[in-house]
Amino acid sequence: MSAVLERPDGRRGAGMNGGTKLVLGALGVIGLLAPVALSAANAATTLGDSAALSGRYFGTAVSAGKLSDSTYTGILGREFNMVTAENEMKIDATEPSQNSFTFTNADRIVNAAAGKRIRGHTLVWHSQLPGWMNSLSGSANTLAAMNNHINGVMGHYKGKIYAWDVVNEAFNDGSGTRRSDVWQNQIGDSYIEQAFRTARAADPAAKLCINDYNIDDATAAKTLAVYNLVKDFKARGVPIDCVGLQSHFNSGSPVPSNYQANMQQFAALGVDVQITELDIEGSGSAQADNYAKVVKACLVVARCTGITVWGIRDSDSWRASGTPLLFDGNGNKKAAYTSVLDALNAGGTTPPTTTPPTTTAPTTPSATVPPTTAPPAGTKSCSGAFTVSSSWTGGFTGTVKVTAGSAAISKWTVGLTLPSGTSITNLWNGTLSGTSVSSLSWNSSVPASGSVEFGFQGSGSATGVGVASCTAS
Ligand code: XIL
């Protein structure tokens, strides 16, 4: 086993001399259990670079409205290598009216974060919901709207997101029972599973997380509710890759003494753990000590892959009066900043090399369509293949991959086979007429041998669904 450090940006740990490599090599196995001391020569001077020494990221929440503030963007550019949109990717921001998506502010953040990685936050939540969504009724209707939202937002950012908070704050404090919200009340217990299955199909490269607050204490009922959900998903092959601990701390909700053990117990289920919204109210050395405690706990847990603070300066915080962040209102580094930097520079266990999340195996073999004999070169043609993404009693979602033949095409139409009793309730990335799906303006041109995808949700069984024809012009 090698303990050579992989940086989140894919480069190897900077500045390792031969001696250091030797020590790390010898400590490879122990390194999984105890922090690895790095030589001072490796100490880095920014949060992101210091976290990268042990293969982790250090991120912050960013607000689009502050991107014109040069103090803010200066610190952002210098210190952080992961970005979460504080509000701009939320449901009310991205789908203010049904099936009408807006990404202007979220895109501004993504553009400002060029060269950094992005955490997507968040797709299914009880809060910051547009009115139309909060008043949805009927399980099929609500499920279709949820899936359409996930597909719309994840589709827009496909391939650009490191991890998505697919479902946020689904459990009640204290009891750990399910929170009563439109998803739970209209769809029922299965909504979380449905959301994760839809999310995996929408962007197979993104890690899929469940995120919550007050799940920092290893023995709390709410923590165990999330633990049991992840365990169940893992046992049944429902896609899930990570647990996000929001970790908003203050005197009434301090850093628990079993915080590290808690991250370890989640990691032992085979998921990554990320600290997603860290802020700790207080000041001076007490605050600095609490920050160090959190960072050191993450560094010990190999699958704790990164830390995000919920804002840059105290004045940027949603809890500004508690001065919970690493920079003061003028952008100066606080004692908490130094303790975090020092803890990161002391090194830690190395997260396992990231492999892309595994995609759920299609449950129905793909049906490829005519033409069975290749048309003469230069003739415009296409073929389509249908794959089930997820299915449940009474419904399913699936995608059709449309592939151009040996010539580029500028329009395509796929004829679907739908067995009796099966119908399409919702379709994206195409326009439906009867059982035919045609391209939209933005995905009609496909280069020779290239492909595009559309997807749909159906009611009834997916068995027998397939592609009957594909015509191109
Ligand atoms: C907060 C933002 O920081 C505020 O600007 C907004 O008014 C409300 O939401 N849990 C979450 C975050 O998952 O999205 C919340 O962010 C803080 C609590």
Side-chain angles (χ1 to χ4, degrees):
M1 180 179 307
S2 158
V4 172
L5 305 178
E6 189 87 40
R7 293 163 51 122
D9 59 8
R11 287 183 281 146
R12 298 280 165 176
M16 265 197 290
N17 57 36
T20 311
K21 273 186 200 150
L22 204 68
V23 173
L24 291 176
L27 286 177
V29 175
I30 303 166
L32 291 175
L33 305 170
V36 176
L38 295 170
S39 71
N42 281 322
T45 57
T46 65
L47 298 167
D49 285 351
S50 301
L53 291 174
S54 69
R56 291 176 175 78
Y57 66 82
F58 205 97
T60 182
V62 167
S63 183
K66 296 186 175 139
L67 291 171
S68 52
D69 174 337
S70 60
T71 307
Y72 184 85
T73 52
I75 301 172
L76 170 63
R78 184 183 77 222
E79 297 285 345
F80 300 98
N81 53 14
M82 178 74 76
V83 161
T84 306
E86 186 171 356
N87 291 297
E88 293 77 354
M89 286 191 195
K90 289 175 181 174
I91 312 171
D92 57 354
T94 51
E95 198 181 355
S97 53
Q98 187 158 17
N99 206 28
S100 165
F101 291 88
T102 57
F103 298 107
T104 315
N105 285 326
D107 285 351
R108 286 177 62 205
I109 293 178
V110 171
N111 292 336
K116 306 181 193 295
R117 294 192 290 180
I118 316 273
R119 290 193 84 266
H121 176 78
T122 179
L123 298 164
V124 182
W125 192 21
H126 67 91
S127 186
Q128 294 181 265
L129 283 178
W132 69 266
M133 199 173 241
N134 224 353
S135 51
L136 285 167
S137 67
S139 69
N141 206 23
T142 309
L143 181 63
M146 181 187 84
N147 285 331
N148 193 53
H149 181 77
I150 294 171
N151 283 314
V153 179
M154 287 187 78
H156 181 78
Y157 291 112
K158 188 172 182 177
K160 294 185 177 165
I161 305 290
Y162 167 77
W164 267 107
D165 292 330
V166 178
V167 174
N168 194 30
E169 302 181 350
F171 294 90
N172 288 315
D173 284 322
S175 60
T177 51
R178 287 289 187 90
R179 181 190 290 275
S180 161
D181 62 9
V182 65
W183 316 115
Q184 181 67 28
N185 297 341
Q186 299 302 321
I187 303 170
D189 280 347
S190 70
Y191 87 86
I192 300 183
E193 173 172 350
Q194 296 303 336
F196 275 81
R197 289 190 187 279
T198 301
R200 177 66 94 227
D203 185 355
K207 288 176 185 280
L208 306 181
C209 304
I210 186 152
N211 193 52
D212 216 323
Y213 66 95
N214 282 353
I215 57 165
D216 310 292
D217 180 327
T219 61
K222 190 174 174 184
T223 306
L224 296 175
V226 175
Y227 179 88
N228 286 330
L229 178 123
V230 175
K231 190 173 175 188
D232 171 57
F233 278 19
K234 282 289 179 185
R236 292 190 297 115
V238 179
I240 187 162
D241 308 302
C242 36
V243 174
L245 307 183
Q246 290 185 11
S247 298
H248 298 291
F249 296 119
N250 53 39
S251 56
S253 177
V255 184
S257 56
N258 59 20
Y259 188 62
Q260 181 184 311
N262 185 40
M263 290 197 278
Q264 196 68 66
Q265 76 173 349
F266 278 119
L269 293 174
V271 286
D272 289 345
V273 180
Q274 293 159 11
I275 300 172
T276 54
E277 303 180 15
L278 180 63
D279 48 22
I280 311 179
E281 294 185 27
S283 62
S285 61
Q287 183 182 46
D289 289 350
N290 278 325
Y291 261 104
K293 200 158 137 187
V294 168
V295 172
K296 285 176 182 170
C298 174
L299 287 164
V300 171
V301 178
R303 291 200 74 158
C304 178
T305 56
I307 299 170
T308 296
V309 285
W310 205 240
I312 298 180
R313 301 161 300 195
D314 284 336
S315 50
D316 301 317
S317 170
W318 70 312
R319 292 178 167 175
S321 64
T323 61
L325 296 173
L326 302 178
F327 295 86
D328 70 17
N330 294 321
N332 298 315
K333 297 170 181 174
K334 294 167 58 181
Y337 172 94
T338 310
S339 72
V340 168
L341 191 75
D342 289 350
L344 292 171
N345 275 329
T349 55
T350 309
T353 313
T354 311
T355 45
T358 45
T359 312
T360 324
T363 47
T364 305
S366 303
T368 312
V369 253
T372 42
T373 5
T379 307
K380 292 182 178 187
S381 67
C382 60
S383 62
F386 171 72
T387 306
V388 177
S389 308
S390 67
S391 61
W392 57 91
T393 311
F396 63 94
T397 57
T399 57
V400 172
K401 185 173 186 178
V402 180
T403 305
S406 57
I409 59 177
S410 49
K411 183 174 167 32
W412 49 263
T413 300
V414 167
L416 293 170
T417 312
L418 296 178
S420 74
T422 294
S423 59
I424 294 177
T425 53
N426 180 27
L427 186 133
W428 50 94
N429 298 350
T431 175
L432 180 67
S433 165
T435 55
S436 287
V437 181
S438 302
S439 47
L440 299 170
S441 57
W442 56 270
N443 65 1
S444 56
S445 293
V446 186
S449 306
S451 54
V452 294
E453 278 185 1
F454 68 87
F456 56 92
Q457 180 171 354
S459 65
S461 167
T463 308
V465 175
V467 174
S469 62
C470 192
T471 50
S473 57

